[in-house]
Amino acid sequence: MLNLTQINHLVALAEERHFARAAARVHLSQPAFSRSIQAIERKADLRLFERQPGSVRLTSAGEFFIQQARQLLLSARNLERDIVLYRTADLGDIAFGMGPFPAATLLREALSQLRQRHPRVSIRAEINNWRQLHENLEREDIEFFVATIADIGNTAALDIRPLVRQKVDFYVRTDHPLANAETPFVAMWDYGVAATKLTTTLRQRLAKELRLEQDSELTLAVQCDDVDFLHHLALTSDTVIISTDSAVNKKGHDVLLRKLIIREIPTVDLQIGIVSLRNRTPSPMAKIVMQTLEHLCAN
């Protein structure tokens, strides 16, 4: 039977694809590391790696082993974490991610409640678009993230829990030239449109209304994942912004920004959800943060 040290050696070699780099990663000499890999292959009675000049690659058996090995290491790390938390009776620190719109509408109140109830807990909240948050989740740099889930899709590696819908609209300042009448879509676009990273569905819909060729790229005047900045831009220039009713209301901008009436664009909602690794048990503090967010969305 393999132990966790040997499993860690397997994963290191699979990821580094080079004996010297993998040996350095696990703090072994290269000869000792090579003997460890050879012992694993003898024990399994399978060849897990194809040796090539200057590199290695996984065999089909190796691919199967590595998938299971990564899951075992993840379970072991979860167990170690939970043992520490149980022994110290501590909730533990928490790192999670927030997409631009949930950050603008949920984060401030959630953090206030969490700090009031758990003042000893260290909290790190990272704001970014869902693609970057997904990468950070896979690296286990964060425990979960809350973001628009339309483009994520169903995958066996992720657990995706719908949280709330937010309606998308186009906004301008109240004294904008387009503010007081029904606005043709193309006329609005002439002023320049600013938005966060668009979902594929919304981008395709806008491109269709602009009658762009299929391979043409939809161009935004400004793309920025900071919703506060987008609102500031709309209030200080003629730029039209894409925001949500929840963000406008939460920021207190409902009397400063005017929603444009554009008949060509049907109602668009952003489905926001909680995304986590399916095979990772959330830490006690992660569960509390998720419950806090769910409570805020329900009220």
Side-chain angles (χ1 to χ4, degrees):
M1 182 175 294
L2 302 183
N3 59 44
L4 286 177
T5 298
Q6 292 173 310
I7 291 171
N8 189 45
H9 292 175
L10 278 177
V11 172
L13 185 57
E15 292 179 351
E16 298 294 340
R17 297 185 182 275
H18 189 276
F19 270 91
R21 290 197 299 269
R25 173 169 156 178
V26 300
H27 310 293
L28 282 179
S29 67
Q30 185 171 338
F33 183 79
S34 297
R35 289 194 296 271
S36 176
I37 297 299
Q38 291 168 2
I40 294 168
E41 289 182 318
R42 284 197 303 271
K43 189 174 292 188
D45 195 25
L46 289 168
R47 192 166 186 81
L48 305 178
F49 297 93
E50 292 289 351
R51 280 72 168 171
Q52 299 174 331
S55 67
V56 297
R57 66 179 182 85
L58 288 164
T59 64
S60 57
E63 293 281 0
F64 171 78
F65 262 64
I66 290 303
Q67 182 180 1
Q68 303 300 315
R70 286 195 176 103
Q71 185 56 51
L72 285 170
L73 289 179
L74 177 59
S75 297
R77 288 195 294 271
N78 288 342
L79 178 59
E80 289 176 353
R81 179 203 65 197
D82 291 345
I83 288 172
V84 171
L85 295 176
Y86 185 84
R87 186 173 61 242
T88 61
D90 196 354
L91 288 170
D93 299 336
I94 178 67
F96 62 94
M98 297 287 277
F101 285 111
T105 56
L106 296 171
L107 185 58
R108 182 177 300 181
E109 191 170 353
L111 286 181
S112 294
Q113 291 188 15
L114 291 167
R115 289 297 302 150
Q116 290 169 15
R117 297 168 185 169
H118 309 286
R120 295 178 57 192
V121 172
S122 176
I123 301 171
R124 175 165 62 87
E126 178 177 336
I127 302 173
N128 217 317
N129 63 69
W130 77 265
R131 291 186 185 279
Q132 186 60 56
L133 294 175
H134 186 199
E135 290 180 11
N136 294 347
L137 179 68
E138 289 185 325
R139 292 199 302 267
E140 298 182 59
D141 187 47
I142 55 177
E143 280 205 62
F144 68 91
F145 67 86
V146 181
T148 304
I149 59 177
D151 286 346
I152 298 178
N154 293 322
T155 169
L158 298 177
D159 181 44
I160 303 174
R161 294 157 53 188
L163 188 61
V164 68
R165 286 188 177 274
Q166 295 186 358
K167 186 172 178 293
V168 174
D169 279 299
F170 294 83
Y171 290 88
V172 295
R173 67 178 194 277
T174 54
D175 60 345
H176 192 282
L178 300 178
N180 296 310
E182 185 175 317
T183 304
F185 182 78
V186 175
M188 174 198 69
W189 211 262
D190 289 341
Y191 285 88
V193 175
T196 62
K197 187 175 183 64
L198 300 176
T199 65
T200 301
T201 299
L202 183 55
R203 180 175 286 276
Q204 290 174 344
R205 187 168 294 178
L206 296 179
K208 180 180 179 181
E209 294 302 330
L210 285 170
R211 295 179 172 82
L212 296 179
E213 297 294 332
Q214 186 171 0
D215 295 330
S216 298
E217 183 67 22
L218 178 72
T219 302
L220 293 171
V222 177
Q223 179 176 301
C224 178
D225 287 331
D226 186 335
V227 175
D228 282 333
F229 167 75
L230 294 179
H231 285 206
H232 174 76
L233 189 62
L235 292 170
T236 57
S237 74
D238 283 343
T239 308
V240 180
I241 65 166
I242 300 176
S243 189
T244 68
D245 52 355
S246 297
V248 170
N249 292 332
K250 284 285 185 182
K251 296 297 179 183
H253 292 160
D254 48 319
V255 296
L256 301 175
L257 294 174
R258 182 71 53 84
K259 184 187 303 182
L260 294 181
I261 303 171
I262 308 167
R263 291 191 176 178
E264 295 103 312
I265 301 295
T267 299
V268 177
D269 288 340
L270 294 181
Q271 175 67 71
I272 292 170
I274 299 174
V275 183
S276 58
L277 294 175
R278 177 157 293 171
N279 294 317
R280 175 170 181 170
T281 303
S283 68
M285 195 61 205
K287 292 178 181 178
I288 289 173
V289 177
M290 292 179 189
Q291 290 166 0
T292 300
L293 294 169
E294 289 170 342
H295 179 75
L296 288 174
C297 290
N299 294 297

